[in-house]
């Protein structure tokens, strides 16, 4: 079954070009020219991927992203004419998975979509569950599901990939650039400070006390390491 992609942008010419390129690659593409229409299609279509413009005539892309993240971890790639670092940082804090700055190459957009789908699909199966702190935190690498105290928690693709990199190498201290390289590869276009935004969101979801984390540990002056104690799941 073809993957469904929702594109929300108020530039009709851009919508037509992006739709054509994505359909050529076999995706089912749905388009919306404003935020309200985009949210309606999101509810009706239940897309597998969203391409979202930040500057829309009715609702801001940030507000749309926030609304979607309250109910879904569907991958979101943001399009923006804003080039300032802080604009990107705020988008990642809301749960965006990638950014492209306008103008951009449609071929690069397609590559980024495919790259994120590849990460989300979990092609490289592990066939086991990572179990930490006597089952307090469990990571199913086959299904990309994470459980905290036996409750399924919702992580964005980026949050999951960062967690998996750290948890799979619990004795290793990663710099931000190393996390980017291991989790996202060459397709990542953000700043290394965006890792801090993802870490902040991760801690809110998996830590009992974000002020005294036991899983995502800061190594000052270097980066981050994983602090959970691993036990193989039975």
């Amino acid at each position: 079954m073809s993957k469904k992609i929702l594109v929300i942008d108020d530039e009709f010419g851009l919508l037509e070009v992006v739709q054509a390129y994505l359909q050529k690659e076999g995706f089912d593409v749905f388009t919306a020219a404003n935020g309200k229409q985009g949210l309606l299609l999101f509810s009706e279509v239940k897309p597998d991927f969203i391409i979202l413009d930040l500057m829309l005539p009715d609702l801001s892309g940030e507000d749309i992203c926030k609304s979607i993240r309250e109910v879904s971890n569907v991958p979101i790639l943001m399009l923006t004419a804003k080039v300032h670092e802080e604009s990107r940082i705020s988008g990642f804090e809301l749960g965006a998975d990638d950014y492209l700055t306008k103008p951009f190459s449609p071929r690069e957009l397609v590559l980024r979509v495919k790259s994120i789908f590849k990460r989300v699909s979990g092609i490289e199966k592990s066939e086991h569950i990572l179990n930490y702190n006597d089952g307090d935190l469990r990571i199913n690498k086959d299904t990309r599901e994470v459980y905290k105290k036996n409750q399924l928690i919702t992580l964005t693709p980026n949050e999951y990939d960062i967690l998996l990199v750290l948890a799979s190498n619990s004795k290793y201290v990663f710099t931000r650039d190393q996390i980017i390289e291991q989790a996202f590869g060459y397709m990542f276009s953000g700043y290394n400070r965006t890792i801090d935004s993802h870490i902040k969101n991760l801690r809110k979801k998996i830590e009992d006390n974000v002020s005294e984390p036991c899983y995502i540990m800061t190594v000052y002056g270097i980066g981050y390491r994983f602090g959970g104690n691993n036990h193989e799941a039975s």
Side-chain angles (χ1 to χ4, degrees):
M1 183 180 294
S2 299
K3 295 289 188 181
K4 295 179 290 187
I5 298 180
L6 171 60
V7 186
I8 307 174
D9 198 295
D10 63 334
E11 298 181 37
F12 290 100
L14 183 146
L15 283 178
E16 290 180 352
V17 171
V18 169
Q19 183 176 30
Y21 270 81
L22 291 172
Q23 286 178 336
K24 185 178 179 181
E25 297 297 324
F27 296 111
D28 288 335
V29 184
F30 302 82
T31 62
N34 59 62
K36 291 180 180 179
Q37 183 184 9
L39 287 174
L40 181 62
L41 277 175
F42 166 72
S43 298
E44 293 178 349
V45 173
K46 294 180 172 48
D48 302 294
F49 198 104
I50 296 174
I51 298 171
L52 172 63
D53 184 23
L54 276 181
M55 302 180 69
L56 295 166
D58 53 350
L59 302 173
S60 72
E62 289 93 344
D63 287 341
I64 294 171
C65 182
K66 184 177 180 180
S67 296
I68 291 172
R69 278 289 170 259
E70 290 176 352
V71 296
S72 173
N73 65 346
V74 61
I76 298 175
L77 185 152
M78 285 187 169
L79 304 177
T80 179
K82 301 176 181 179
V83 296
H84 299 298
E85 179 180 356
E86 291 304 321
S87 297
R88 296 191 179 205
I89 294 291
S90 64
F92 282 117
E93 287 181 341
L94 290 172
D97 298 284
D98 203 355
Y99 252 93
L100 265 182
T101 303
K102 295 180 178 181
F104 58 85
S105 163
R107 289 186 296 176
E108 181 181 359
L109 175 64
V110 171
L111 285 174
R112 289 185 181 278
V113 170
K114 288 183 173 181
S115 176
I116 294 174
F117 267 133
K118 184 176 180 180
R119 286 197 282 119
V120 173
S121 67
I123 292 176
E124 296 180 3
K125 300 290 185 179
S126 66
E127 298 182 357
H128 71 274
I129 295 173
L130 299 178
N131 187 4
Y132 298 97
N133 293 12
D134 296 321
D136 178 70
L137 182 71
R138 289 184 293 120
I139 304 172
N140 188 325
K141 296 170 72 176
D142 291 338
T143 63
R144 294 176 64 92
E145 292 177 333
V146 178
Y147 293 83
K148 171 70 175 178
K149 300 186 187 302
N150 293 321
Q151 296 295 316
L152 179 66
I153 60 175
T154 299
L155 299 183
T156 68
N158 280 1
E159 291 166 1
Y160 174 86
D161 290 329
I162 291 172
L163 176 61
L164 184 60
V165 166
L166 294 174
S168 299
N169 303 274
S170 58
K171 295 183 179 180
Y172 193 86
V173 178
F174 286 87
T175 66
R176 292 168 179 81
D177 288 334
Q178 287 171 331
I179 293 174
I180 289 171
E181 180 181 352
Q182 293 292 320
F184 311 129
Y186 76 97
M187 293 304 297
F188 185 80
S189 63
Y191 303 90
N192 62 11
R193 277 186 56 202
T194 61
I195 294 300
D196 297 335
S197 300
H198 293 312
I199 294 293
K200 179 181 177 181
N201 291 336
L202 254 178
R203 282 175 170 160
K204 290 178 181 178
K205 296 177 180 181
I206 69 173
E207 302 285 3
D208 291 330
N209 184 350
V210 295
S211 299
E212 298 180 2
C214 68
Y215 291 115
I216 310 297
M217 315 293 289
T218 298
V219 181
Y220 292 99
I222 303 177
Y224 299 98
R225 70 173 179 85
F226 191 77
N229 296 315
N230 179 253
H231 306 278
E232 286 296 326
S234 58

